[in-house]
Structures are given as structure tokens and as C-alpha cells.
Amino acid sequence: MSIDPVGTRLGKRAELRVKRAKQRRRLTMLGGGALAVLLVVVAVVFIGGGDDGVKKIDAPKRTQRTILLQVKGSDGVAIASALLAHDAPSGAGSVVLVPPQVLVTVPGSGSTFFGRALKTGSVKGSRNALEDLMGVTIDGSWVLDVAAFRRLVDQEGGVRITVDVPVVQGRNVLIQAGTDRLNGTQALQFATYLAPGEQEQTRLARLQTVLDGIVTTLPTDVQTLLTSLGAGSQTTVAVPILADVLTGLKSDDAASNLQYRSLPVIKVEAGNDEIRFRVDAEATLTLVDELLAQSVPPGARSNGNRVLVLNGVGTPGLGEQVRSKLLPAGFVFVGSRNANSFNQCCTQVLVKDPTAEGTALGNRVARALGVPLSSVKSSDQIGTIADVVVIVGKDFKAK
């Protein structure tokens, strides 16, 4: 039987086309597989954290709320202060009692007693001073004048407290020892009372007793209570938020999960009868880690990011304006004061070391403040309080 050579050639060509088609399909599959692998690798790099292969996990969302409560005397000075903190998911709360005689730096105003910061630096200045002192975020302030504080206690029907010593004023006994229920006037007298020879810690203990009495006696509708206090009660957060914090503290207390602590301080000998303290930095760090760790802002514990601000133009409140730009950039504001003169034309950013690392640090500060990188210079006159010193000049723009 004869074989058609043309048909044979056609058959071989058809066979070859089929073979090539299969090869193309295999190459396509291999290419698709390679692309898939590439996409997986890219996903790992972006999601898993890059070359180290360690999966990056977003920082947990902050759920702790912090409110600075202050009672303002008739002269505008805070006679009682406490930092309130509540974390709803964990059901944990804390109250840090702050002595009015602890020295703080009010941004833009300088050093003063914390009690006076409310008068010299306003509500915001007082809050910022405590933020910088403790290294935590404070969400807002709640300031009560004397009348509003009394009204708060009276609207609760008084607070149940066992008075430990007679509260006296001159020859007059205001509250007898052993009294077990105080009205608003008595509660404030007891919370701020210090008998002769007693230490400041004793007065803070009495403030704690009064605050705990207020918290445990809060009504179900705290928001209505707050709105009834009148103009003497001022809050920088919405009333419902403040009400939630107070209600949370009451729940924390009922669950035995509310802690009261005093800000750790060290007495400073002033050479006179005036009482003054400085913060115990190490003990405060421990307190913050135990009670307020969630409220430590990013960068607050980093090394080499402390900035001291010197006002070189004399503009009031300039330190606060600079602070508002430094904190979001991850720097720690350690204070502000006046420069030797107010004739500074251009801002200077001074770093300790003329190294690449020192220059990079200065550049970060310059960018945060919006001043030229040429303002960065090295100086051997920087002390130990800061890593960078900014001398603010006329070229600085707050906005």
C-alpha cells in the first residue's frame, strides 16, 4: 500500500502544532504560577514586615481615657487636682493625686507650682504641664470652681466619710472628728485640710477619701448631674464623654478595680517655710507603667528626642506653639524659657554632636518646625536636660 508523502508531511506538521500548543500552555501555566508566587512574596513583604520575615502587627488602639480634674479657688489657683483614667474594655480605673506644690514647666510660661499653673497658663497650660511632667496623654480637663464642687457633692446628697481629725480654722472647729457624712462645703474643707505638723501626703489621703465618696455616690444619670452644675463646671471634652469616664470609675470601684495613687515627689528644701516638690522621675515612670501605659504617646520613651525651647523673640506663649509641632513628630518637650535676648532673627536648632546622626536628629526637628535645615548647628553648650535646644527666631511660623 502506498503512502501519500504530502499527507505524511501534513500529519507531522499538525503533530508539531499540537506539541507547540502544549508547550505554550505549560509556559503560560508556569508564568501564571511565577506571577502568583511573586504576588505572594510582595504580600509578605508589605504585610509581613520585609526582609526580617517578622509579621508587623498594628499597635493596639488606645482605649484608656484620661481627664484632669481640678478644683479652682477664688484666686484662680488649683487647690485640688487629680488625673482620672478609665479603660472600658479592661474595666480598670485609676486616680493619680497631684500635690499643688510640685514644680512644673508650663509651655510658654516657664516654671511654677502646679497649682498656680491653672492661673498662669490657663486650663490648657496646666494640662500640658502635667502631660510633660508624667509623659502621658491627657485627653481633657474638668475644672470646678468652689461653688460647683459644693453643688456636685450636695446634689449627691453628701458623701459618707469618717473624719479622722477635727477640721479647724483659727479657733473655730469646722468639722468634728468622727463625722460620717459631709455636705459640699464640709467635703471641700476636709479634702484640702492639713493640720499643723502633718505632711502633704496626709492632705492627699483626705482628697482621695472625698473623691472616692463622690465616685461611689454617683447617680445612674451622671450626664444630667454634670449639666446641673452650672457655669462653674467647665470641661474641654464633651459632657457625655466625661460622664462615661465617671460612670466607668464607679463601675471600676464596685469591681474593686479602681486604684488611687499619689504622684511620686521629692521635697525640695527652699530655705524658708514654703513647701515645694520636684517629681520623682524614676518612681513616676513605674507608676505610669502600672496605671497609664496605654496613654504613653509614641516616641515618649525613645532616646535622643528631648527638646528644650528658648524664646528668642519674646512672643508670649511661643513655647506652647513650638510644643504643638514637636509632639506629633515624636519628640518630648522638656520645657521652654526665655533666651538671653529677644533679638533672634533666625531659628537655631542646636544638637550636641556634629556627626551624621546628630545632624539627622536636628534635621528632623527642623522639618517638624518648618524651618530651614541650615538652621541645624552643633553646640557644646547643651546640658543634660535635652538632646536638642531650639532657639526660636522671627522666622518661625506657628501655622
Side-chain angles (χ1 to χ4, degrees), residues 316-333:
L318 190 61
E320 169 58 30
Q321 296 173 8
V322 176
R323 177 186 184 273
S324 67
K325 292 194 172 187
L326 290 172
L327 265 60
F331 293 101
V332 175
F333 178 86

Side-chain angles (χ1 to χ4, degrees), residues 67 245 377:
I67 305 290
V245 171
K377 306 179 186 302

Side-chain angles (χ1 to χ4, degrees), residues 18 38 78 88 102 127 137 152 233:
V18 171
L38 178 60
V102 64
R127 183 175 69 250
T137 296
L152 170 65
S233 172

Side-chain angles (χ1 to χ4, degrees), residues 340-395:
N340 293 331
S341 72
F342 291 149
N343 298 319
Q344 189 77 24
C345 65
C346 301
T347 299
Q348 291 188 11
V349 179
L350 306 180
V351 297
K352 295 181 180 180
D353 302 316
T355 60
E357 184 178 358
T359 301
L361 172 62
N363 289 346
R364 285 177 50 218
V365 174
R367 291 191 187 96
L369 300 182
V371 298
L373 299 186
S374 58
S375 64
V376 178
K377 306 179 186 302
S378 63
S379 172
D380 57 3
Q381 301 300 313
I382 298 177
T384 59
I385 189 175
D387 304 295
V388 181
V389 174
V390 176
I391 306 177
V392 186
K394 296 176 182 178
D395 62 335

Side-chain angles (χ1 to χ4, degrees), residues 86-101:
H86 169 65
D87 179 40
S90 66
S94 61
V95 177
V96 179
L97 310 164
V98 185
Q101 308 93 337

Side-chain angles (χ1 to χ4, degrees), residues 54-331:
V54 178
K55 183 177 181 181
K56 290 185 178 179
I57 302 175
D58 291 337
K61 184 179 178 181
R62 178 171 173 258
T63 55
Q64 185 179 62
R65 290 188 184 274
T66 50
I67 305 290
L68 174 58
L69 165 63
Q70 295 189 282
V71 181
K72 179 175 64 175
S74 57
D75 58 356
V77 173
I79 57 178
S81 301
L83 181 60
L84 316 178
H86 169 65
D87 179 40
S90 66
S94 61
V95 177
V96 179
L97 310 164
V98 185
Q101 308 93 337
V102 64
L103 293 167
V104 298
T105 298
V106 180
S109 299
S111 179
T112 187
F113 292 118
F114 182 62
R116 295 178 188 169
L118 183 61
K119 180 178 182 179
T120 61
S122 75
V123 173
K124 183 179 181 181
S126 181
R127 183 175 69 250
N128 289 346
L130 188 61
E131 276 190 328
D132 295 336
L133 189 72
M134 298 183 66
V136 298
T137 296
I138 301 178
D139 298 311
S141 297
W142 180 30
V143 179
L144 298 168
D145 64 16
V146 170
F149 181 87
R150 291 170 178 165
R151 195 175 301 116
L152 170 65
V153 175
D154 288 338
Q155 298 239 22
E156 291 188 334
V159 290
R160 297 192 65 87
I161 292 171
T162 300
V163 177
D164 57 339
V165 296
V167 177
V168 299
Q169 186 178 54
R171 296 184 178 181
N172 300 320
V173 178
L174 303 178
I175 311 173
Q176 294 287 352
T179 304
D180 61 359
R181 181 177 287 276
L182 305 181
N183 60 29
T185 299
Q186 293 171 324
L188 185 58
Q189 291 169 338
F190 182 70
T192 56
Y193 182 66
L194 192 66
E198 290 183 332
Q199 300 297 315
E200 181 62 28
Q201 186 62 39
T202 305
R203 175 158 40 197
L204 292 179
R206 293 187 179 117
L207 173 61
Q208 171 183 330
T209 304
V210 171
L211 291 179
D212 194 57
I214 292 173
V215 167
T216 56
T217 315
L218 285 169
T220 303
D221 188 356
V222 176
Q223 190 169 332
T224 297
L225 172 64
L226 293 175
T227 55
S228 71
L229 299 179
S233 172
Q234 297 181 334
T235 174
T236 64
V237 298
V239 171
I241 293 176
L242 176 58
D244 285 345
V245 171
L246 294 175
T247 301
L249 291 177
K250 181 178 182 179
S251 299
D252 300 337
D253 190 60
S256 300
N257 206 14
L258 176 61
Q259 296 189 54
Y260 286 84
R261 302 274 287 276
S262 297
L263 180 70
V265 294
I266 299 172
K267 189 173 182 179
V268 176
E269 297 299 335
N272 52 38
D273 294 334
E274 188 176 55
I275 299 174
R276 61 178 62 189
F277 304 102
R278 63 177 175 84
V279 70
D280 185 332
E282 186 175 345
T284 298
L285 194 67
T286 301
L287 180 147
V288 169
D289 286 342
E290 292 175 355
L291 303 180
L292 302 165
Q294 252 202 68
S295 296
V296 176
R301 298 288 180 86
S302 302
N303 293 323
N305 64 347
R306 301 168 302 160
V307 183
L308 173 67
V309 177
L310 303 182
N311 187 339
V313 294
T315 304
L318 190 61
E320 169 58 30
Q321 296 173 8
V322 176
R323 177 186 184 273
S324 67
K325 292 194 172 187
L326 290 172
L327 265 60
F331 293 101

